[in-house]
């Protein structure tokens, strides 16, 4: 009797389990390919999770870093406040702040470790050394290497020697996830030690492996308060469309932030170019202004910095952040 009751009880439980909605699908594990970029310190979310800072020291003053170079790409630091004009959305602004101080900066180095960089790494290491040699001793740095995906090689440190040691063991391979590396670099700079922040990219090609699109990254860099510079190692005659697109991509991304791209056709000149960018970061003008009530109401703010006609000598080139977005609306 007991045996019969046990059989019926077992059949009842089996029938109930089969009849329950999604009885078995509730225990299945579905793995969805992630769209996140990951490093060894954790994951980075897609746009929407990024929160950029506007270039404001308070609610009134907007600070704009400005670099001025001559035809030989040498920094020009003899200008005065009256030599500058600043326009926001076409309206000229009254400069309330002017400085040329060499303040410390947090710098992220984005190092291309794709296969095409294999024969250039010795020169890249020398260029990094020259960059550090010409920097402010109080600066701090982190390094992200990127090939198929970006990976943190060295977290924020003042020790340039430790960074150079780690880069020594980097082995190039794979593709080029440049845009993903830019996103990771911008995200890490959000918790940087200093208010002044920059990314320096060293690469010999365009992007061919990122999950982020160019338009996504452009919008993010526009909203950030980070200057981006690039050392682009390109042949005089582009061998591939990717290489041609790479120069345009770097130029577009860097110049909107107030930085710029130095194109290098002779890899032996890479160290000289790296030293020049480091020198530029130590020789900038900081212009500050208070937007008019009309300008404050706008969300998109386009900035243009010009030199007055009183500046003597050959033509000079001005680099400054071109746009920022207000978040008060």
């Amino acid at each position: 009797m007991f045996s019969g009751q046990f059989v019926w009880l077992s059949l009842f439980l089996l029938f109930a389990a089969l009849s329950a909605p999604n009885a078995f699908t509730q225990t299945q594990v579905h793995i969805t390919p992630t769209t996140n970029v990951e490093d060894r310190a954790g994951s980075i979310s897609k746009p929407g999770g990024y929160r950029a800072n506007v270039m404001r020291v308070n609610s009134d003053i907007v600070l704009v870093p400005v670099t001025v170079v001559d035809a030989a790409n040498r920094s020009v630091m003899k200008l005065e406040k009256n030599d500058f004009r600043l326009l926001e959305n076409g309206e000229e602004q009254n400069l309330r702040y002017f400085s040329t101080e060499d303040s410390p900066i947090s710098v992220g180095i984005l190092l291309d470790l794709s296969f095409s960089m294999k024969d250039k790494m010795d020169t890249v290491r020398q260029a990094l050394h020259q960059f550090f040699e010409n920097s402010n001793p109080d600066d701090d740095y982190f390094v992200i290497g990127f090939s198929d995906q970006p990976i943190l090689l060295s977290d924020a440190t003042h020790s340039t020697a430790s960074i150079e040691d780690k880069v020594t063991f980097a082995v190039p391979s794979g593709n080029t996830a440049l845009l993903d590396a830019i996103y990771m670099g911008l995200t890490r700079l959000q918790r940087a030690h200093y208010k002044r922040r920059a990314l320096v990219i060293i690469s010999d090609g365009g992007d061919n492996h990122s999950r982020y699109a160019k338009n996504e990254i452009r919008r993010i860099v526009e909203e950030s308060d980070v200057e981006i510079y690039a050392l682009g190692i390109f042949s005089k005659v582009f061998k591939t469309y990717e290489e041609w697109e790479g120069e345009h991509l770097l130029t577009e991304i860097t110049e909107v932030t107030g930085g710029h791209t130095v194109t290098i056709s002779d890899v032996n000149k890479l160290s000289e170019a790296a030293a020049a960018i480091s020198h530029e970061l130590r020789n900038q003008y900081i212009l500050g202004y208070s937007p008019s009530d009309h300008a404050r109401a706008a969300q998109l703010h386009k900035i243009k910095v010009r030199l007055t006609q009183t500046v003597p000598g050959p033509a000079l080139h001005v680099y400054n952040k071109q746009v920022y977005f207000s978040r008060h609306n």
Side-chain angles (χ1 to χ4, degrees):
M1 183 70 175
F2 174 81
S3 176
Q5 288 178 336
F6 178 81
V7 171
W8 278 108
L9 179 59
S10 299
L11 291 174
F12 174 78
L13 292 174
L14 177 61
F15 177 79
L18 291 172
S19 302
N22 302 320
F24 290 100
T25 58
Q26 289 177 349
T27 63
Q28 292 179 343
V29 178
H30 298 277
I31 301 176
T32 304
T34 180
T35 57
N36 293 347
V37 182
E38 296 183 354
D39 65 7
R40 292 173 182 171
S43 62
I44 298 175
S45 60
K46 289 282 281 180
Y50 186 89
R51 291 294 180 268
N53 297 319
V54 179
M55 300 179 299
R56 292 177 182 269
V57 292
N58 55 45
S59 59
D60 295 322
I61 301 295
V62 177
L63 299 181
V64 183
V66 177
T67 302
V68 182
V69 298
D70 61 18
N73 206 37
R74 295 172 299 199
S75 298
V76 176
M77 292 301 296
K78 296 182 179 180
L79 305 179
E80 303 293 338
K81 178 180 177 181
N82 292 335
D83 293 322
F84 293 91
R85 294 177 58 209
L86 189 149
L87 294 87
E88 180 183 294
N89 293 340
E91 294 184 17
E92 186 159 1
Q93 305 294 316
N94 179 37
L95 295 181
R96 296 178 53 190
Y97 181 84
F98 180 82
S99 173
T100 58
E101 63 183 18
D102 177 18
S103 58
I105 185 170
S106 293
V107 182
I109 308 292
L110 306 185
L111 180 58
D112 188 346
L113 293 178
S114 61
F115 182 77
S116 60
M117 292 288 290
K118 184 176 182 179
D119 297 330
K120 306 180 180 77
M121 287 305 298
D122 286 342
T123 308
V124 167
R125 294 182 186 105
Q126 295 171 13
L128 276 178
H129 182 75
Q130 288 301 311
F131 180 86
F132 295 144
E133 283 289 300
N134 287 272
S135 62
N136 187 318
D138 292 327
D139 292 348
D140 63 24
Y141 311 90
F142 64 83
V143 179
I144 291 173
F146 61 94
S147 52
D148 288 338
Q149 64 180 3
I151 297 176
L152 185 68
L153 298 182
S154 174
D155 211 344
T157 179
H158 292 283
S159 174
T160 58
S162 66
I163 290 177
E164 293 184 52
D165 287 343
K166 291 179 181 179
V167 172
T168 298
F169 297 100
V171 179
S173 64
N175 297 294
T176 311
L178 170 61
L179 294 173
D180 288 355
I182 293 174
Y183 181 83
M184 180 186 289
L186 290 172
T187 302
R188 297 197 73 81
L189 280 175
Q190 287 186 309
R191 54 182 184 267
H193 180 66
Y194 298 116
K195 289 185 177 180
R196 291 190 63 213
R197 302 167 185 183
L199 290 178
V200 177
I201 304 167
I202 303 177
S203 178
D204 71 343
D207 189 292
N208 61 13
H209 206 72
S210 285
R211 292 163 177 163
Y212 284 86
K214 181 178 73 173
N215 290 340
E216 288 178 313
I217 296 301
R218 180 183 170 88
R219 176 61 184 244
I220 291 172
V221 300
E222 285 178 341
E223 294 186 7
S224 76
D225 58 351
V226 175
E227 295 176 79
I228 303 179
Y229 292 80
L231 296 168
I233 310 168
F234 302 112
S235 302
K236 292 182 179 179
V237 178
F238 293 117
K239 299 177 182 178
T240 64
Y241 172 79
E242 176 190 319
E243 190 175 337
W244 175 86
E245 175 63 20
E247 182 178 10
H248 287 264
L249 173 62
L250 288 175
T251 299
E252 182 179 348
I253 292 295
T254 57
E255 291 194 356
V256 75
T257 70
H260 61 97
T261 296
V262 178
T263 301
I264 302 161
S265 57
D266 182 356
V267 71
N268 293 316
K269 295 183 178 180
L270 183 62
S271 292
E272 179 183 344
I277 286 182
S278 184
H279 187 71
E280 283 183 31
L281 287 171
R282 299 190 65 176
N283 292 274
Q284 290 184 316
Y285 302 91
I286 306 297
L287 309 182
Y289 70 98
S290 180
S292 64
D293 291 338
H294 173 71
R296 291 171 194 264
Q299 182 179 27
L300 173 64
H301 302 259
K302 294 183 178 180
I303 303 170
K304 178 70 176 179
V305 176
R306 297 175 179 169
L307 298 178
T308 64
Q309 297 299 317
T310 60
V311 179
L316 303 177
H317 194 94
V318 179
Y319 295 101
N320 66 274
K321 186 171 177 63
Q322 299 174 8
V323 63
Y324 76 87
F325 292 84
S326 295
R327 296 185 177 277
H328 57 268
N329 289 350

